[in-house]
Amino acid sequence: MLKKFLKSKKKNEEWRGGNPNGRPKLHINKLKLLHLKNAGKSNREIARIFGVSEATIRRRLKENESKF
């Protein structure tokens, strides 16, 4: 897979690790995530808003807890 990416004709691409053919990494705004959680939204509702899985929301919330 890496060889395929390196042979790519696009010059502006940058390999970030993982599978280059997979889903692009999504940046979830921490403030929006915490605001929705504090507003009483469930993880499932937040996941639907951001268009990600419920597991992703749980992981991001857990990551935020460990930083405080």
Side-chain angles (χ1 to χ4, degrees):
M1 284 184 249
L2 182 57
K3 289 180 185 179
K4 184 178 178 181
F5 180 82
L6 292 175
K7 290 181 182 179
S8 165
K9 294 180 182 179
K10 296 179 183 177
K11 295 179 181 179
N12 296 333
E13 286 188 39
E14 199 174 298
W15 189 57
R16 297 182 187 175
N19 183 354
N21 298 323
R23 293 177 110 179
K25 294 190 178 198
L26 177 69
H27 297 283
I28 296 176
N29 187 327
K30 294 176 191 175
L31 293 176
K32 287 182 183 178
L33 177 62
L34 293 175
H35 176 74
L36 289 169
K37 193 63 180 174
N38 290 335
K41 298 287 185 188
S42 69
N43 290 350
R44 180 176 288 173
E45 291 171 321
I46 296 170
R48 287 184 181 168
I49 290 169
F50 284 113
V52 297
S53 72
E54 194 174 343
T56 299
I57 297 300
R58 283 194 306 266
R59 185 179 70 246
R60 296 292 172 94
L61 287 170
K62 188 175 181 180
E63 288 171 357
N64 286 336
E65 287 176 5
S66 65
K67 290 182 181 180
F68 294 115

